Amino acid sequence: MELISILNLAYLIASILFIVGIKQLAHPKTATRGNFLGALGMLIAVVATLFDREILSYEWIAVGVLIGSVIGIVLAIKIQMTAMPQLVAVLNGFGGIASVFVAGAALQLSIPKYQYAVNYQEIVSIVFSAIVGGITFSGSFIAFGKLQGFITEKAVRYPGDQLVKILVGLTAVGLGVYGCLEPTDESIYWILSGVSLFLGIFLVIPIGGADMPVVISLLNSYSGIAASATGFVLNNNVLIIAGSLVGASGIILTQIMCKAMNRSLTNVLFGGFGAVATEMKDDGDFYSGKVKSTSAEEVAMLLDVARSVVIVPGYGMAVAQAQHTVRDLYQLLTARGIDVTFAIHPVAGRMPGHMNVLLAEADIPYDRLKEMDEINSTFENVDVVIVNGANDVTNPLAKTDPKSPIAGMPILDVGNAKTVVVIKRSLSPGFAGVPNPLFIADNCLMLFGDGKKATQEMIAALKES
C-alpha cells in the first residue's frame, strides 16, 4: 500500500474518532470517553502527519512537542476548575494564532510558484486564515483578560465604536481582496494579520462579562473555522474535517447560549451587548426594609423537615470554590432520605457547561443534574431551593420588565418553590447590573456570606439538629 493511501486511511480513522467523540461529549456519562476518543484521534492524526514526505525537520517538531507537553502538563495540574473558562479562552487564542503562522509560512513557500500561476483556492484560504485567526487570537485574549480581571468586565463603549469596527472590518476585507490579487506581496499578509488582531480587540472589548459564555463558544467556533481554512491551505483532509467539526459545533453551542440569554447571533457578531446597567448600591431603596435575613441554624430547621431540595449553583459558588462543600451537603441530605437535585442554567458561570464541570469534579451523580427546561415545571412541588451564588439566572425581571437588560431571558423559576434560600455575599447586582425582586419575595430568605463558608455552617447546624 502506498504511503499516501496509509495517510488517508489514518486521517479517515482520526476523523471518525473525532465525530464519535463529539457525539459522546453531548452527555455527562459518556463525556470522559468522548474526550479520550477525541484525543486518540488527534494522536493518530499527528503521528500520520509526521510520516508525510513534506516534513522538513523532525528535530524542531520534537522540540515543539516537548515544550507543548510540558506546558500542557503544568496547566492540567495547576489550573483550578474555577479558572477553566480562562484556559479555554487562551487555548482558543493559541489555535487562532497557529493558523495565522501556518498560513503565513505556506504563503512564503508558495510565492515563487505564484510568479507563474496562482492557486486561488490556496491563496483565498491563506487570506481567510489570517482574518479569522487574527480575530480569534486577540479576541480570545481580551476575553481571558475580562475573565481574569486584568480588564474590566464591563462593556467598554465609546462614541463611534460601531463605526470603528465597521471601518477596521472593511480595511481587513480590502486587504484580503488585494492579497488575493497580488499574492506575491508577502507584506500584505502580515499587515492583514495585524489589522485582524485589532478587529478582534474591537469586537470583544465592548462585550460585558455577563455575556462571556456566548463569546467563548463563538471564539471556539472561530478557532475551528480558522483551522479548517488552514487545512485547505495545506491540503490536509483531517485538519479540514476537525476544524469544520469544531466550527460547526461552536456555532450550534453559540446559538444555544444566545437562546438561553435571549440574545441574537447578530448581537454576538457585532458586539456592544452585555453592557452593565447603572449599578445599584447594597442599601438601595429597592430592597430597603424588605429583605428577610436568615441564619444557618434556621435553614437547617427548614431542611430538617423538607422532603425535596433543589440546589442552584452559580458563579458565586465557583468563586468560593464551594463545589466540594455543596457535595457534602448533598450527601448529608440524601442520607436523611431527602430528594436532592441540582438545577443547571445553560449560562450559569463563565462558559457553557461551567457548573456541570464543577459539580462533576466534586463527584455529584450525573443523574442529579437537571437542565432548566426539565426542572422548571417541578419547582412548585419543591420544599426548599438553595441558590448558591446565582443571581441573574433567577431574576424574575426577565419575565416581568420588558425594559430590563435581561428581558426575555429564560430563567430558573425558583420563586415557585415553597421556600427559597439565597446564599450571597451582599445585595449587589449580578453581571446585568439590575436588582433581583426574588430577594424580597415573601418566600425568600437571604443567607449572607461566602458560598463555601455558608454551606459549611449549614452542614454543621444540620449535624447538631
Side-chain angles (χ1 to χ4, degrees):
M1 185 180 292
E2 294 183 2
L3 177 60
I4 188 65
S5 299
I6 296 175
L7 289 176
N8 286 331
L9 178 60
Y11 288 156
L12 176 62
I13 294 172
S15 301
I16 293 173
L17 289 172
F18 291 151
I19 294 170
V20 175
I22 288 179
K23 174 63 176 177
Q24 297 199 339
L25 285 172
H27 195 283
K29 288 185 177 180
T30 58
T32 301
R33 190 186 316 133
N35 196 43
F36 172 78
L37 291 177
L40 178 60
M42 184 55 68
L43 176 62
I44 292 173
V46 170
V47 171
T49 302
L50 291 177
F51 283 96
D52 195 313
R53 288 168 294 185
E54 295 182 9
I55 296 297
L56 300 178
S57 173
Y58 287 99
E59 291 80 7
W60 283 111
I61 290 175
V63 171
V65 169
L66 179 62
I67 295 174
S69 297
V70 170
I71 294 173
I73 291 171
V74 171
L75 286 175
I77 294 174
K78 296 292 186 179
I79 195 72
Q80 297 289 331
M81 294 304 291
T82 49
M84 194 58 65
Q86 292 94 307
L87 178 61
V88 171
V90 168
L91 295 179
N92 286 341
F94 285 153
I97 200 65
S99 297
V100 171
F101 285 136
V102 171
L107 174 63
Q108 190 174 39
L109 292 174
S110 299
I111 284 178
K113 295 185 295 183
Y114 290 160
Q115 302 287 349
Y116 305 99
V118 177
N119 183 337
Y120 282 103
Q121 173 186 304
E122 184 178 73
I123 190 60
V124 169
S125 299
I126 288 173
V127 167
F128 196 71
S129 295
I131 296 175
V132 181
I135 292 172
T136 304
F137 177 72
S138 58
S140 295
F141 273 85
I142 292 296
F144 165 78
K146 284 178 174 284
L147 293 172
Q148 193 65 23
F150 297 149
I151 304 174
T152 177
E153 291 179 342
K154 297 181 181 180
V156 179
R157 306 300 303 274
Y158 52 89
D161 58 344
Q162 298 289 1
L163 179 60
V164 170
K165 282 183 283 189
I166 292 173
L167 290 176
V168 176
L170 290 175
T171 300
V173 172
L175 287 170
V177 172
Y178 181 77
C180 291
L181 297 176
E182 296 291 338
T184 56
D185 188 351
E186 185 182 354
S187 62
I188 294 298
Y189 177 84
W190 298 111
I191 294 173
L192 172 62
S193 299
V195 171
S196 298
L197 291 175
F198 279 106
L199 182 57
I201 295 173
F202 292 135
L203 285 173
V204 177
I205 200 72
I207 301 175
D211 296 308
M212 279 301 111
V214 181
V215 176
I216 289 177
S217 61
L218 183 63
L219 290 171
N220 180 62
S221 176
Y222 285 172
S223 68
I225 293 171
S228 182
T230 308
F232 282 102
V233 174
L234 303 176
N235 198 26
N236 186 298
N237 292 333
V238 74
L239 190 55
I240 294 171
I241 294 172
S244 299
L245 288 172
V246 173
S249 58
I251 286 292
I252 293 171
L253 184 58
T254 300
Q255 290 179 321
I256 293 173
M257 294 297 104
C258 288
K259 181 179 179 181
M261 298 184 72
N262 193 37
R263 303 290 188 187
S264 70
L265 187 56
T266 303
N267 292 141
V268 182
L269 292 172
F270 293 100
F273 62 99
V276 178
T278 302
E279 292 191 2
M280 178 194 60
K281 296 180 180 179
D282 289 2
D283 58 350
D285 293 337
F286 186 85
Y287 294 133
S288 182
K290 304 173 185 176
V291 173
K292 295 182 288 295
S293 182
T294 188
S295 65
E297 290 72 22
E298 290 179 354
V299 176
M301 287 189 289
L302 286 172
L303 296 175
D304 228 1
V305 296
R307 300 181 61 184
S308 60
V309 173
V310 173
I311 299 175
V312 179
Y315 184 65
M317 185 197 77
V319 171
Q321 299 187 37
Q323 61 268 29
H324 293 93
T325 309
V326 169
R327 176 206 56 205
D328 295 340
L329 176 62
Y330 159 77
Q331 292 177 338
L332 179 60
L333 294 174
T334 301
R336 296 187 175 201
I338 300 172
D339 180 50
V340 183
T341 54
F342 293 79
I344 310 297
H345 193 281
V347 294
R350 295 294 190 85
M351 73 173 186
H354 195 183
M355 296 301 106
N356 301 71
V357 171
L358 290 175
L359 296 176
E361 181 203 10
D363 296 322
I364 300 295
Y366 296 130
D367 61 352
R368 295 287 87 192
L369 310 184
K370 306 297 182 182
E371 297 296 332
M372 176 179 63
D373 293 339
E374 180 182 2
I375 201 169
N376 259 352
S377 61
T378 67
F379 276 119
E380 58 187 26
N381 299 319
V382 175
D383 294 321
V384 180
V385 171
I386 301 175
V387 180
N388 196 321
N391 193 336
D392 294 333
V393 298
T394 64
N395 194 330
L397 286 180
K399 292 186 173 182
T400 61
D401 184 0
K403 296 182 179 180
S404 170
I406 59 173
M409 183 179 84
I411 63 168
L412 291 165
D413 295 324
V414 298
N416 293 337
K418 296 175 183 176
T419 304
V420 182
V421 177
V422 177
I423 300 175
K424 203 172 181 294
R425 293 177 183 269
S426 68
L427 291 172
S428 60
F431 285 124
V434 294
N436 191 339
L438 172 69
F439 299 165
I440 55 175
D442 292 337
N443 62 338
C444 182
L445 300 172
M446 299 295 298
L447 179 58
F448 292 107
D450 173 86
K452 182 176 182 179
K453 184 178 179 182
T455 305
Q456 289 172 334
E457 291 173 351
M458 283 194 296
I459 292 173
L462 272 169
K463 289 181 177 178
E464 293 177 1
S465 62

